Amino acid sequence: MSRPKTQNYKVHGLPKGKEREQRASIRFKTTLMNTLMDVLRNRPGWVEVKDEGEWDFYWCDVSWLRENFDHTYMDEHVRISHFRNHYELTRKNYMVKNLKRFRKQLEREAGKLEAAKCDFFPKTFEMPCEYHLFVEEFRKNPGITWIMKPVARSQGKGIFLFRRLKDIMDWRKGTAGKKLTSLEAQPSRSAINPSGSHDTRSSEDQKDEIPVENYVAQRYIENPYLIGGRKFDLRVYVLVMSYIPLRAWLYRDGFARFSNTRFTLNSIDDQYVHLTNVAVQKTSPDYHPKKGCKWMLQRFRQYLASKHGPEAVETLFSDMDNIFVRSLQSVQKVIISDKHCFELYGYDILIDQDLKPWLLEVNASPSLTASSQEDYVLKTCLLEDTLHVVDMEARLTGREKRVGGFDLMWNDGPVSREEGAPDLSGMGNFVTNTHLGCVNDRKKQLRQLFRSLQGQKKASN
């Protein structure tokens, strides 16, 4: 479905200077039949186009991007939902490579203390190219648990834990595809994507790009923080509107995803103990579809505050802010920053018993399929607010620090919660403009925001 270079997406019949200001309707396209489609179809003034129709906004999948981006001419106002080489952050091996390089750069330029702020991902080796380095590390720490993950799959497919080198010999001989885990026997994904997967492609698409043998071996976090004896990880949403300069928003809501089975290291083969992906957990014999296995982040934050006090929680959430910013900075110079592109990332964070957050992975296409009514509400609001920030209607001034549930976290530098230009010299009074897991009074905020914008417009006219 390549479009010729000469194709133009301009709304015809309007003077060029007025086009963005006066656009009567936004033509949108997507192939995802889930919460996203509901949000797009319900948006006032937005019209769906199909097949080869011209569009202004395309929530595309990454396979379209790979095949068509370089052959598609996009007018000034057009927006699509991925950066051209998003995989620099969202493929497990590239993410770690970029973070390691960034940490070395920080050590050279700012010293070891600054570089230590990047120590939020477990020790990781790319396989097979770093196999010998891995073996060296493995022998230094006998008896600890490692986890093997395919670099370009999702929903927990292909993942296994091991403690002995002989456990990965099958993988090294190239027979891993036949002898991984029972997960491999599960049906392949359809267009509906029920877990927090990082990709909307089929497994076959992924194999075309990266051979199935490419894995990462990662030190397994053996002391996860447990609630009710069960392991969980957090899904957090970060919206990047630009890499040069870096402009990133953090969403207030998200959720904790729990395993159904109590945590133990005695059984490293039990996927229901160790993998929190919804796609895995919903196949568990004791999974309750109505109850699900998620907590909203507000509930999680309140729980931690009651157990550990508000200060410990502030520190933890500030450490998570650090993960979001540093990981984006690590790819800032390699991502192709294009004004037509934005990206809604799903971050997966694990917290250990010391309340230290660890980055597990970043997803380029976090699941937009709801697993419960509460999940549907969260994702609907998330997507509505994403569209408000993308601002196809050209209503915003560009100076906003909050739009609905999104708070501007980074704008070519840290954004202060206080009004006016912050004094960054001592950073003593500086509080980052993030409110993860806090009250999300988005409807009230949006009403005030758009009322204020209309007032400004009338005054200027």
Side-chain angles (χ1 to χ4, degrees):
M1 299 202 326
S2 283
R3 290 186 169 77
K5 273 269 186 191
T6 54
Q7 180 71 56
N8 196 320
Y9 295 100
K10 216 181 299 176
V11 179
H12 298 289
L14 288 176
K16 193 165 178 70
K18 299 262 182 179
E19 178 196 325
R20 184 158 158 75
E21 187 187 333
Q22 295 184 354
R23 200 168 319 112
S25 66
I26 312 294
R27 298 162 298 178
F28 77 85
K29 184 174 176 179
T30 186
T31 53
L32 301 176
M33 299 300 295
N34 51 30
T35 318
L36 174 68
M37 185 62 91
D38 293 349
V39 169
L40 291 170
R41 283 178 174 164
N42 289 327
R43 197 162 178 85
W46 285 48
V47 181
E48 185 177 359
V49 296
K50 296 190 176 174
D51 305 322
E52 292 300 297
E54 290 182 8
W55 41 266
D56 306 298
F57 179 94
Y58 187 10
W59 197 293
C60 62
D61 58 34
V62 292
S63 56
W64 179 90
L65 198 75
R66 193 169 64 242
E67 291 156 22
N68 297 285
F69 189 93
D70 294 335
H71 314 292
T72 304
Y73 172 79
M74 291 184 230
D75 214 358
E76 183 76 20
H77 69 280
V78 169
R79 296 289 177 269
I80 62 169
S81 61
H82 293 291
F83 286 94
R84 179 70 184 86
N85 57 337
H86 63 88
Y87 48 77
E88 291 286 353
L89 183 61
T90 59
R91 200 163 282 146
K92 299 171 187 78
N93 53 336
Y94 293 172
M95 178 188 86
V96 170
K97 176 195 75 176
N98 285 313
L99 280 167
K100 284 178 177 176
R101 178 183 41 73
F102 184 59
R103 187 166 58 185
K104 280 179 186 162
Q105 178 195 328
L106 280 177
E107 193 166 333
R108 275 195 316 273
E109 294 172 3
K112 287 190 172 178
L113 269 177
E114 196 62 22
K117 291 178 184 171
C118 285
D119 291 338
F120 49 70
F121 59 100
K123 196 171 277 287
T124 305
F125 297 90
E126 187 175 348
M127 309 286 261
C129 62
E130 294 183 328
Y131 180 78
H132 295 292
L133 287 172
F134 162 72
V135 170
E136 210 176 290
E137 181 66 28
F138 182 92
R139 289 186 170 139
K140 280 187 208 164
N141 298 282
I144 67 165
T145 310
W146 291 81
I147 185 166
M148 283 279 276
K149 303 174 182 178
V151 298
R153 297 208 217 171
S154 54
Q155 299 188 334
K157 288 181 179 149
I159 295 177
F160 62 99
L161 276 62
F162 66 97
R163 291 193 185 121
R164 301 172 301 177
L165 272 182
K166 79 182 193 66
D167 293 340
I168 56 166
M169 291 320 263
D170 286 335
W171 170 84
R172 201 176 174 226
K173 287 173 194 160
T175 57
K178 296 169 193 164
K179 295 183 69 174
L180 282 176
T181 66
S182 58
L183 281 176
E184 295 298 271
Q186 289 182 15
S188 63
R189 290 171 300 171
S190 63
I192 292 175
N193 197 353
S195 82
S197 77
H198 73 286
D199 224 327
T200 50
R201 291 172 292 161
S202 71
S203 300
E204 293 306 313
D205 283 336
Q206 291 170 341
K207 283 177 194 169
D208 288 344
E209 239 175 300
I210 294 276
V212 71
E213 318 64 278
N214 279 36
Y215 271 62
V216 288
Q218 202 167 60
R219 190 162 173 169
Y220 185 64
I221 308 292
E222 295 185 317
N223 64 331
Y225 190 95
L226 305 177
I227 295 179
R230 297 181 302 160
K231 181 182 171 181
F232 64 91
D233 68 359
L234 304 180
R235 165 56 57 87
V236 180
Y237 298 100
V238 174
L239 175 63
V240 176
M241 293 304 297
S242 158
Y243 270 98
I244 300 173
L246 181 58
R247 186 171 169 86
W249 300 74
L250 179 65
Y251 204 61
R252 295 187 173 202
D253 292 332
F255 48 83
R257 302 180 295 193
F258 286 86
S259 68
N260 267 293
T261 311
R262 290 177 74 83
F263 182 77
T264 173
L265 282 170
N266 297 334
S267 170
I268 61 170
D269 298 325
D270 188 339
Q271 64 203 30
Y272 300 126
V273 171
H274 301 286
L275 304 184
T276 56
N277 310 62
V278 177
V280 174
Q281 292 300 324
K282 71 177 190 177
T283 65
S284 162
D286 47 3
Y287 177 75
H288 295 285
K290 284 186 181 170
K291 282 164 67 179
C293 45
K294 291 179 179 178
W295 270 17
M296 293 298 114
L297 271 182
Q298 278 191 40
R299 182 180 176 188
F300 172 70
R301 187 168 184 143
Q302 288 163 358
Y303 174 88
L304 283 188
S306 69
K307 290 276 183 189
H308 304 279
E311 274 184 37
V313 174
E314 281 299 330
T315 302
L316 166 64
F317 277 72
S318 168
D319 289 346
M320 285 201 275
D321 293 344
N322 173 65
I323 289 178
F324 308 136
V325 170
R326 303 279 173 173
S327 58
L328 294 173
Q329 287 176 327
S330 77
V331 295
Q332 191 178 2
K333 290 178 180 172
V334 293
I335 294 269
I336 301 162
S337 191
D338 186 304
K339 66 185 175 189
H340 299 105
C341 305
F342 68 93
E343 192 101 42
L344 179 65
Y345 292 109
Y347 274 73
D348 291 346
I349 307 280
L350 183 79
I351 293 164
D352 70 17
Q353 286 169 2
D354 302 319
L355 293 187
K356 174 182 168 69
W358 296 88
L359 176 59
L360 299 180
E361 66 177 301
V362 184
N363 300 279
S365 297
S367 168
L368 300 176
T369 300
S371 58
S372 67
Q373 184 55 34
E374 193 175 36
D375 202 31
Y376 182 84
V377 171
L378 183 152
K379 285 172 178 169
T380 301
C381 296
L382 167 74
L383 289 166
E384 284 175 359
D385 292 345
T386 299
L387 298 182
H388 290 320
V389 176
V390 173
D391 191 29
M392 293 299 294
E393 297 89 350
R395 292 180 291 186
L396 303 181
T397 64
R399 296 185 297 275
E400 291 79 8
K401 291 196 334 190
R402 182 182 174 194
V403 176
F406 275 110
D407 297 291
L408 186 61
M409 169 173 59
W410 194 268
N411 188 19
D412 204 19
V415 179
S416 169
R417 210 174 278 190
E418 302 305 315
E419 291 305 317
D423 171 23
L424 297 180
S425 53
M427 295 290 276
N429 302 322
F430 186 85
V431 181
T432 314
N433 185 43
T434 54
H435 303 264
L436 185 60
C438 296
V439 173
N440 186 4
D441 53 342
R442 56 179 291 278
K443 283 187 178 173
K444 179 182 169 190
Q445 195 275 338
L446 287 169
R447 271 198 306 272
Q448 290 172 345
L449 173 66
F450 289 122
R451 200 180 294 137
S452 148
L453 290 170
Q454 278 176 329
Q456 288 172 38
K457 201 170 181 181
K458 279 178 189 165
S460 66
N461 288 340

